[in-house]
Amino acid sequence: MLLFSEAAAVFSEIEKRSGRLEMTDLLAALLKKAEGAEIGKLTYLLQGMLAPPYEGIDLGVGERFAIEAIAASAGYSKKEVEAHYKKSGDLGDTAEALIGKKKQTALSTTEMGVTYVYDAMLQIAKASGPGSQEMKIKLLTELLNNASPLEGRFLVRFVLGRLRLGVGDPTIIDALSVAHVGDKSLREPLERAYNVCSDLGYVAKVFYESPERIEKFTVQPFKPLMPALAERLSTPKEIIERLKKCAVEMKYDGFRLQCHKSGERVELYSRRLDRMTAMFPDVVDAIKGVKAKELIFEGEALAYDSAKKRYYPFQQTMRRRRKHGIEEASKEFPLNLFVFDVLYADGRDMTNEPYAKRRALVEKLFKGKILQPSQALVVDSTKKLKEIFDESLSEGLEGIMAKDLAAPYTAGKRKFAWIKLKKSYGKAVDTIDGVVVGYYLGHGARAEFEFGGLLIAVYNPERGKLETVAKIGSGFSEAEMVELEKMLEEIKAARPPEELDYRIEPEFWVEPKYVVEVAFDDITQSPTHTCAMQDGKGYALRFPRLVRIRTDKGVREITTSSEVAEMYELQRSKG
Ligand code: AMP
């Protein structure tokens, strides 16, 4: 049995290190100690979660609950715990300190295995209905009663969703390979397996049972794939030079849905792989009518104004992503789903088939009014591609997606299998999606909105860090300022996000939660921003402005630092 205390000791070591190699070795040694039944649970704990996000399992423990549990377990008053937290700024540290100076000791303590802790956490998450709050506090108090100060630190951070060990999924994958075969040679099949099921705990479990199964891992219904991502180029000419003959599809400006069906069961997943089934009964019904027993496919959902024969703007479409008034909304803004890929059909994993073959299946399966194939044409000239691009803009769409006819579906990867060409915003060549890490208050004319601007970061997966790339002060409508201020106020943080690398400080830090699309004129190098920083200079957006708040994208899906670097090179190569 792997003890949670052993895991906590390794967590604490990992926190002190920053080198990926060192972390991999520490993790591998820990993973090696886990038994078959523990490996999946340990993997989830390392990721700071209990299950993949699409399972919708949320601990639902707020600071207030954690404070009560710490107080009850260590024998302090809530006021004393709060006072300590005010100084430490981290409830995990507070738990550690106060458990270390317990005023009361439990009669007997149990040695906690990793499984015990995981199962207790799951019980906390699943407590619901009347009395569930007391239940959650009670369960957490029991865990803390059995915990050493160090265990207490990590238990509390975990339940609050703030474990943040700084180990990314790639490091865990490397460590799994090292733990099992002594080197990183199985990284690639492990990574592919993870990309096609988005469930690292499950992958770890299968891997420990039989490494061969990882090599032959296939997609399966109700385990959503990480969405394939598109590269960007800025002219039709570049696209044709790169792909030669290719399929050009309309780029619809709605939200991406990944649809899974097996028999009567249908589930819909968002781009960030949250389960969205309940929001779109109209789409679910349409899927039930498709002639295939088992199916996984993807499309872009858009609200269509049949009176004006035009797509509603993005904001209107997004009103369908709601928890209440679903029936009314589905009548007011009926959705069309433009299907652009099939990944699995009646027992066949299609992800390794070429685009052309998958596309043929899309056209065969989807002929309805609600579910229809995305518009696509095969072209081999710049002129033809440009025509389709112009047509897409005149229809109020966002641009086009060019697709390599021979390429497989590259789950979770940005490959030149798909290339996007988007309309420009004013002088802007392109946009990035970044996460808000801080904000400024308004001064002068804007003071009445109490809102002045945003500090934006992109993601550097190689370093597992967020890196700042822009400070936006314009592009906000009054309504947006009010909304942003309210949203950000709620996630204000005493410290910068753990994983952020920064050189400038905003007036307020926030948890990295909201993704925004940012337009800009060009990219420069600057000592104030840390994006892909080298020799004291990072990349920065010039004249950045807010395009919109992207509620459909998660922090994991924002633009990466290397993409910004590529955009800079692209811009330089054009003089
Ligand atoms: P972007 O978010 O700008 O990187 O563009 C990629 C997104 O475009 C995908 O995630 C889809 O949501 C959306 N999209 C719209 N139309 C298509 C299409 N025909 N093929 C693939 N993706 C599309």
Side-chain angles (χ1 to χ4, degrees), residues 227-230 232 249-257 271 299-300 338-340 374-375 398 401 403 414 418 420 422 431 433 517 548 550 552-553:
L229 306 172
R232 67 183 84 215
E249 296 192 14
M250 293 292 166
K251 187 171 191 302
Y252 302 92
D253 193 10
F255 54 89
R256 188 169 182 163
L257 282 181
R271 180 185 165 121
E300 188 86 354
F338 294 95
V339 181
F340 55 75
S374 57
Q375 232 182 0
E398 210 193 359
M401 280 283 210
K403 299 190 173 177
R414 196 176 299 280
W418 293 3
K420 62 188 170 191
K422 296 211 283 191
T431 64
D433 296 314
E517 185 174 357
R548 64 187 177 201
R550 293 210 58 159
D552 59 325
K553 274 203 180 178

Side-chain angles (χ1 to χ4, degrees), residues 410-453:
T410 48
K413 294 238 150 102
R414 196 176 299 280
K415 290 268 169 73
F416 278 94
W418 293 3
I419 303 175
K420 62 188 170 191
L421 180 64
K422 296 211 283 191
K423 80 169 167 222
S424 50
Y425 292 87
K427 237 187 97 190
V429 264
D430 210 334
T431 64
I432 62 135
D433 296 314
V435 64
V436 181
V437 291
Y439 68 103
Y440 303 82
L441 284 189
H443 301 286
R446 277 201 179 155
E448 78 182 274
F449 304 112
E450 290 240 334
F451 186 74

Side-chain angles (χ1 to χ4, degrees), residues 250 252 309-311 375 390-397:
M250 293 292 166
Y252 302 92
K309 295 209 164 41
R310 247 186 107 85
Y311 302 106
Q375 232 182 0
D390 291 341
E391 184 192 326
S392 92
L393 299 195
S394 69
E395 281 185 30
L397 299 174

